[in-house]
Amino acid sequence: MSKTLQADNAPRKGIPDWPRFMRREKAAQYLDISPSLLDRESASGRLPKPVALTPTVRGWVRDDLDAAIDDRRMPPDPASDWT
């Protein structure tokens, strides 16, 4: 593995090692919101919906939650025809 790749995958100092897949309560804790707010935001489409890991286990992928937060940080491009 290259040094660059190793550095990108290294845990960040001060940030807990969160699981890649999180059930409802853990995903809400990760976002520092209540589980009921997670449900409402997911239902409205402002946060990703949970995915099925097995037929009976559903949860959120950490990368999807991170991407949703990153999307909120990026201002819309006024020159874009897609907004």
Side-chain angles (χ1 to χ4, degrees), residues 10 21 45 49 51 61-62 65:
F21 182 84
K49 298 197 182 320
V51 297
V61 177
R62 184 185 65 222
L65 295 172

Side-chain angles (χ1 to χ4, degrees), residues 11-40:
R12 295 180 205 153
K13 186 176 181 176
I15 297 176
D17 188 21
W18 290 90
R20 186 157 185 236
F21 182 84
M22 294 177 262
R23 306 275 304 258
R24 179 176 177 255
E25 290 77 17
K26 181 72 75 175
Q29 183 182 16
Y30 180 72
L31 295 172
D32 197 23
I33 60 175
S34 69
S36 60
L37 181 56
L38 175 67
D39 294 340
R40 288 192 305 270

